[in-house]
Amino acid sequence: MAAPDGPGETDGDEEARREAEAFKEQGNAYYAKKDYNEAFNYYTKAIDTCPNNASYYGNRAATLMMLGRFREALEDAQQSVRLDDSFVRGHLREGKCHLSLGNAMAASRCFQRVLELDHKNSQAQQELKNATTVLEYEKIAEVDFEKRDFRKVVFCMDRALEFAPACHRFKILKAECLALLGRYPEAQSVASDILRMDSTNADALYVRGLCLYYEDCIEKAVQFFVQALRMAPDHEKACLACRNAKALKAKKEDGNKAFKKGNYKLAYELYTEALGIDPNNIKTNAKLYCNRGTVNSKLRKLEEAIDDCTNAVKLDDTYVKAYLRRAQCYMDTEQYEDAVRDYEKVYQTEKTKEHKQLLKNAQVELKKSKRKDYYKILGVNKNASEDEIKKAYRKRALMHHPDRHSGASAEVQKEEEKKFKEVGEAFTILSDPKKKARYDSGQDLEEDGLNMGASGPGNFFFQFG
């Protein structure tokens, strides 16, 4: 009788080994054809038939790696080296899985073990360098995140992900920094990719919420933060963001209610408190500044209103409402050039009839502001009646009449004569309904032949004297 191949080995074991080898060979054939799903099935059959063979686990690990299933591949690679600690390819695959998943330290240990077994192994030498590079990028990113240099963190994570494409941690850090840079669609895309693979990933849920929060969709953001906290109750960032979002929403709503009730002082205080909650929330803070600017304009604190609107457009330079509010304040403070500039910006953004008319009105006021202000010369407002204009004329004409200043110096006489003529000129225009209408509309009176002509100021003075 022939001796058995090993202690306790039977003919059944030999047959199982042959069957397992056949499955392995079929798996190899499918692997060579890049049909990794079928290769996986046959390697699994080989393992089920002969579960103590390290190479079967190693082969299935390689297949799972090609399918991008690195966590499962890692388990198989680890099992292969547990069965055979001298299995070089098993250690290499374990290291590659660790590195792909972002655990560069564990990967380094695996590659070092390979070099202990085969000190000339060039693949292990290169992979060890790659693991070291990833560790360096991690350290740099950690420092730069603390410095709030989010662009550099994104750069570091992009480089690290070249070696660790399946690392959720790196992807989440990149997505969070993209959100903090205002690159919301990119951040959402990264987080959504992770959630498609793992719908319970608390970090990805937090980043989705963060994007919505910074886009001023606060109610939806809170839902994602709450979901993240259900998955990970100790998630500090989600907890802080959720608290800030709820506080911001409440303060803003309370400010809006106070404004609608006409309690502008309280509205101002509430909007100011809301602005102190989270300086990173650019879109919401832009709206809060604009709202506070509206409150200030209601309180006739126009320069403060202008400052608030300026802060709003610094945060969001596409915020039409803030430009419109600031332009109106510029109009109210007779800063017409600034008003024209803001209305031009608005009209370029939204070419509506209303915006076109606002721009035209500002341009007219700017043109009028560069001419003599006849109302100011007579000391009346723009809504003065005909009688008020006449009375004001008499008063100013007497005040500046040359006869009253005949004993003054030549310089004073010249100045008073100039003012006397301006008074007459002002009255000539404002006392004539047709000329007044054209003057008020900003038309050039001299071009239209509506200047004073032969009617000098003295004629009017004597007429009313």
Side-chain angles (χ1 to χ4, degrees):
M1 181 182 272
D5 291 335
E9 193 172 89
T10 66
D11 290 341
D13 291 335
E14 177 63 30
E15 187 179 340
R17 203 168 44 240
R18 281 199 299 271
E19 188 180 1
E21 277 296 308
F23 286 139
K24 186 191 89 168
E25 290 304 321
Q26 285 179 284
N28 289 349
Y30 281 114
Y31 188 94
K33 293 177 186 176
K34 298 184 180 180
D35 187 345
Y36 301 118
N37 286 311
E38 276 303 307
F40 170 82
N41 291 336
Y42 278 100
Y43 289 140
T44 301
K45 287 177 182 178
I47 289 168
D48 291 342
T49 307
C50 191
N52 296 319
N53 188 303
S55 69
Y56 299 165
Y57 285 99
N59 286 4
R60 192 169 73 173
T63 304
L64 286 165
M65 288 167 72
M66 297 306 292
L67 290 168
R69 293 157 62 180
F70 291 100
R71 292 190 187 282
E72 296 167 76
L74 177 61
E75 290 174 15
D76 275 357
Q78 287 173 329
Q79 179 62 14
S80 75
V81 296
R82 273 196 290 269
L83 291 169
D84 180 2
D85 187 50
S86 64
F87 184 27
V88 169
R89 279 187 293 177
H91 287 294
L92 269 173
R93 285 167 187 154
E94 182 187 356
K96 281 286 288 177
C97 288
H98 277 308
L99 188 57
S100 294
L101 292 165
N103 191 346
M105 194 70 77
S108 296
R109 288 194 291 270
C110 294
F111 300 135
Q112 284 163 354
R113 175 62 182 144
V114 172
L115 292 171
E116 286 171 12
L117 296 168
D118 175 10
H119 71 278
K120 290 183 179 179
N121 191 300
S122 59
Q123 188 180 355
Q125 289 169 352
Q126 183 57 52
E127 293 294 354
L128 187 58
K129 287 179 183 176
N130 294 345
T132 303
T133 300
V134 169
L135 285 169
E136 286 171 2
Y137 280 127
E138 276 193 82
K139 286 176 187 174
I140 294 167
E142 189 179 344
V143 172
D144 288 327
F145 190 88
E146 289 300 315
K147 291 180 182 175
R148 302 183 64 79
D149 188 350
F150 302 125
R151 278 188 177 79
K152 197 167 176 188
V153 177
V154 171
F155 172 81
C156 288
M157 289 301 96
D158 279 336
R159 299 291 79 74
L161 283 163
E162 289 173 8
F163 302 106
C167 180
H168 286 178
R169 185 164 49 88
F170 292 169
K171 290 178 181 179
I172 288 295
L173 181 56
K174 175 186 172 179
E176 184 178 359
C177 289
L178 287 170
L180 291 166
L181 288 167
R183 292 159 63 180
Y184 307 120
E186 295 171 75
Q188 290 261 32
S189 176
V190 174
S192 297
D193 286 346
I194 292 171
L195 288 170
R196 272 193 287 275
M197 292 181 278
D198 178 9
S199 62
T200 64
N201 188 299
D203 291 323
L205 289 166
Y206 159 70
V207 170
R208 282 293 308 274
L210 196 66
C211 291
L212 290 164
Y213 171 62
Y214 285 147
E215 288 184 290
D216 199 39
C217 301
I218 293 178
E219 241 174 272
K220 285 184 181 177
V222 168
Q223 292 172 11
F224 275 98
F225 295 144
V226 168
Q227 204 175 339
L229 289 166
R230 279 201 203 103
M231 302 303 161
D234 297 327
H235 199 295
E236 289 181 13
K237 288 182 177 179
C239 187
L240 176 62
C242 191
R243 190 163 62 242
N244 282 346
K246 287 178 178 178
L248 203 52
K249 182 174 180 284
K251 286 287 181 191
K252 187 182 175 187
E253 286 177 354
D254 288 346
N256 292 347
K257 286 175 188 173
F259 181 83
K260 285 175 184 175
K261 289 178 181 177
N263 191 343
Y264 301 129
K265 186 179 178 185
L266 178 58
Y268 177 90
E269 289 171 0
L270 289 165
Y271 289 141
T272 301
E273 287 172 18
L275 280 164
I277 291 171
D278 185 0
N280 290 322
N281 196 322
I282 290 169
K283 280 210 169 183
T284 302
N285 287 344
K287 291 183 179 180
L288 289 167
Y289 272 121
C290 188
N291 287 1
R292 196 173 73 174
T294 304
V295 170
N296 275 323
S297 70
K298 291 286 185 184
L299 294 168
R300 305 311 295 165
K301 296 179 178 178
L302 297 178
E303 289 301 330
E304 290 178 39
I306 288 169
D307 289 343
D308 276 340
C309 293
T310 299
N311 283 326
V313 298
K314 277 181 183 174
L315 293 175
D316 181 1
D317 64 358
T318 65
Y319 193 8
V320 168
K321 191 176 177 182
Y323 283 111
L324 286 169
R325 171 61 55 199
R326 186 171 71 173
Q328 185 57 57
C329 291
Y330 281 139
M331 292 290 285
D332 292 342
T333 53
E334 299 183 1
Q335 300 177 61
Y336 299 120
E337 285 187 11
D338 292 325
V340 167
R341 188 174 60 249
D342 276 358
Y343 282 132
E344 282 174 342
K345 172 80 174 175
V346 169
Y347 186 61
Q348 285 166 8
T349 307
E350 294 180 3
K351 287 183 164 56
T352 66
K353 286 183 180 178
E354 182 189 357
H355 295 158
K356 187 177 182 180
Q357 188 58 49
L358 288 168
L359 173 58
K360 188 177 177 183
N361 293 345
Q363 288 169 334
V364 167
E365 291 301 322
L366 175 60
K367 185 178 179 181
K368 284 160 66 174
S369 72
K370 291 182 176 179
R371 306 178 312 174
K372 289 179 183 176
D373 187 342
Y374 291 139
Y375 292 101
K376 193 173 181 180
I377 289 168
L378 292 184
V380 295
N381 64 48
K382 293 178 182 180
N383 299 316
S385 66
E386 192 178 339
D387 283 342
E388 286 171 333
I389 288 170
K390 285 178 180 178
K391 285 176 185 176
Y393 167 68
R394 290 191 190 104
K395 182 179 176 183
R396 294 294 172 108
L398 283 169
M399 187 188 301
H400 300 296
H401 197 282
D403 290 349
R404 291 193 60 166
H405 305 281
S406 56
S409 66
E411 191 178 339
V412 171
Q413 285 185 27
K414 189 176 179 181
E415 183 63 28
E416 291 299 327
E417 186 180 347
K418 181 186 173 186
K419 289 180 180 177
F420 181 64
K421 286 180 180 178
E422 285 179 344
V423 168
E425 188 181 332
F427 183 70
T428 301
I429 301 302
L430 300 183
S431 64
D432 184 314
K434 188 177 179 183
K435 292 177 183 177
K436 182 176 183 295
R438 294 209 171 196
Y439 174 77
D440 288 342
S441 68
Q443 293 185 43
D444 194 320
L445 301 177
E446 289 188 7
E447 284 181 10
D448 292 335
L450 291 172
N451 57 336
M452 275 176 45
S455 300
N459 294 343
F460 286 100
F461 174 69
F462 289 116
Q463 181 182 346
F464 290 109

